[in-house]
Amino acid sequence: MNVIIAGAGIGGLTLALSLHKAGIEVEIYEAVAALSPLGVGINLLPHAVRELTELGLTDRIAAIAIPTEALVYANRFGQEIWREPRGRFAGYDWPQYSIHRGRLQMLLLEAVIERLGPDAVRYDHEAVAVTGNATGAAISFRSRATGEVRGTIRGDVVAAADGIHSAIRAQFNPQEGPPIWNRRILWRGVS
């Protein structure tokens, strides 16, 4: 079996590692010319940490993340309104971690390159459209840098992990339209 993954974000890279561990051939295509550690802090909940543990990434994640003890809501004066324990502090078998999104993505990319090889991710391949039938699937790409058509790749399965502005999701759900900003802003703090 061969799986084509469109997108080398956290989801696409984790899927690639999981499929590789299961002995399934994987090809990863990423729209940007090079990955860089972009983003802000995110939380890896215990069920996600369990999956990353299964992939043998526990020590690497623990080295760059903070075990989250509690979720705390406070008012603008810093007075605590509500507190809830998290991860192992809440009785789970796995911790919850606070981690920079970009550092997690780079950690996953490093693991993909180690396990699948230095050419595991093909860059500057923006997903355009996908087709499929009983014999497999095909996905078409173009260069994000130049706009030129990159061609069509065939596989048994195509997994769309091409992000919030997914061309593949839009193909299957054209009535959905682009994401709608809810006009809410989250302020984060670490202590």
Side-chain angles (χ1 to χ4, degrees):
M1 176 176 273
N2 175 281
V3 177
I4 309 298
I5 300 173
I10 292 170
L13 294 171
T14 302
L15 175 60
L17 290 168
S18 295
L19 291 171
H20 177 73
K21 182 179 178 188
I24 297 171
E25 184 181 329
V26 178
E27 296 177 47
I28 310 161
Y29 294 85
E30 170 55 43
V32 300
L35 292 178
S36 56
L38 302 175
V40 295
I42 60 172
N43 280 287
L44 294 174
L45 300 180
H47 60 279
V49 173
R50 180 190 70 206
E51 296 303 318
L52 295 169
T53 298
E54 291 292 319
L55 294 173
L57 300 173
T58 305
D59 293 340
R60 288 178 173 187
I61 291 171
I64 64 170
I66 299 168
T68 306
E69 182 177 333
L71 171 65
V72 178
Y73 288 99
N75 66 18
R76 64 185 177 145
F77 302 109
Q79 297 165 322
E80 191 173 301
I81 297 169
W82 183 67
R83 172 184 292 268
E84 178 180 292
R86 293 293 170 148
R88 287 201 169 120
F89 299 95
Y92 288 96
D93 292 334
W94 298 273
Q96 175 172 322
Y97 284 118
S98 297
I99 188 170
H100 186 278
R101 184 214 165 278
R103 290 188 75 192
L104 174 62
Q105 185 180 13
M106 294 300 103
L107 179 149
L108 293 168
L109 177 62
E110 182 179 284
V112 163
I113 290 169
E114 287 170 6
R115 297 172 191 184
L116 281 75
D119 298 323
V121 180
R122 291 152 185 101
Y123 296 98
D124 195 25
H125 281 74
E126 183 175 22
V128 177
V130 68
T131 58
N133 56 36
T135 63
I139 184 165
S140 300
F141 296 98
R142 73 171 163 234
S143 166
R144 182 176 275 182
T146 66
E148 77 179 86
V149 174
R150 287 274 189 201
T152 300
I153 307 297
R154 293 200 53 77
D156 296 309
V157 175
V158 169
D162 53 333
I164 192 168
H165 300 288
S166 171
I168 307 307
R169 184 178 60 245
Q171 177 185 334
F172 287 97
N173 300 289
Q175 73 288 350
E176 185 179 79
I180 300 170
W181 182 41
N182 65 8
R183 302 211 178 289
R184 294 208 168 99
I185 297 174
L186 174 67
W187 296 94
R188 300 169 188 208
V190 177
S191 62

